[in-house]
């Protein structure tokens, strides 16, 4: 079994969502076997969502041509249920952009 820090580093360096999901599966296996603590589970969960939100935002930005940082912010604050369906996530981001129109400052 990989050390916790190695698993975190590999998760942060994942190249796509498939690699990220593989890291999550490996971590889940480690949890089931009792290799990781509750604190480590919390840290992995935070890292996983940080990386997944970034990948989801890049996917959405291919459909919605807005500032990628704004999209990352909206996606990271979206409910987890919305993040499971790409079309629903795109609809959610569009709605949030419309609702925030004028509140997001352009420099």
């Amino acid at each position: 079994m990989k050390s916790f820090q190695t698993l975190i580093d590999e998760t942060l360096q994942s190249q796509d969502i498939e690699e990220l999901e593989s890291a999550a599966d490996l971590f889940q296996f480690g949890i089931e076997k009792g290799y990781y603590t509750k604190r480590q589970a919390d840290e992995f969960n935070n890292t996983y969502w940080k990386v997944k939100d970034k990948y989801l935002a890049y996917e959405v930005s291919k459909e919605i041509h807005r500032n990628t940082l704004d999209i990352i912010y909206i996606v990271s604050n979206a409910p987890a249920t919305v993040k499971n369906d790409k079309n629903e996530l795109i609809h959610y981001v569009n709605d949030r952009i419309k609702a925030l129109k004028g509140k997001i400052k352009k420099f």
Side-chain angles (χ1 to χ4, degrees), residues 6-83:
T6 302
L7 185 59
I8 290 290
D9 291 341
E10 289 178 1
T11 301
L12 288 169
Q13 296 171 2
S14 63
Q15 298 295 320
D16 55 26
I17 289 182
E18 289 177 14
E19 281 186 23
L20 180 64
E21 294 301 329
S22 294
D25 290 342
L26 185 60
F27 185 75
Q28 182 62 36
F29 176 77
I31 287 289
E32 290 170 0
K33 295 293 184 180
Y35 296 135
Y36 303 117
T37 65
K38 169 82 169 99
R39 183 193 60 77
Q40 289 171 323
D42 291 342
E43 184 177 343
F44 181 84
N45 192 39
N46 289 337
T47 302
Y48 171 83
W49 279 107
K50 176 182 170 184
V51 174
K52 186 164 184 175
D53 287 344
K54 182 179 73 169
Y55 285 132
L56 290 173
Y58 286 133
E59 288 290 318
V60 169
S61 70
K62 291 176 185 175
E63 302 289 327
I64 301 172
H65 303 289
R66 299 283 185 192
N67 183 321
T68 305
L69 293 177
D70 292 339
I71 293 173
I72 290 172
Y73 177 77
I74 293 169
V75 168
S76 66
N77 290 303
T81 56
V82 172
K83 294 177 184 181

Side-chain angles (χ1 to χ4, degrees), residues 90-102:
I90 290 170
H91 183 70
Y92 176 84
V93 171
N94 268 329
D95 287 349
R96 293 303 303 151
I97 287 173
K98 288 176 187 173
L100 296 172
K101 198 167 205 157

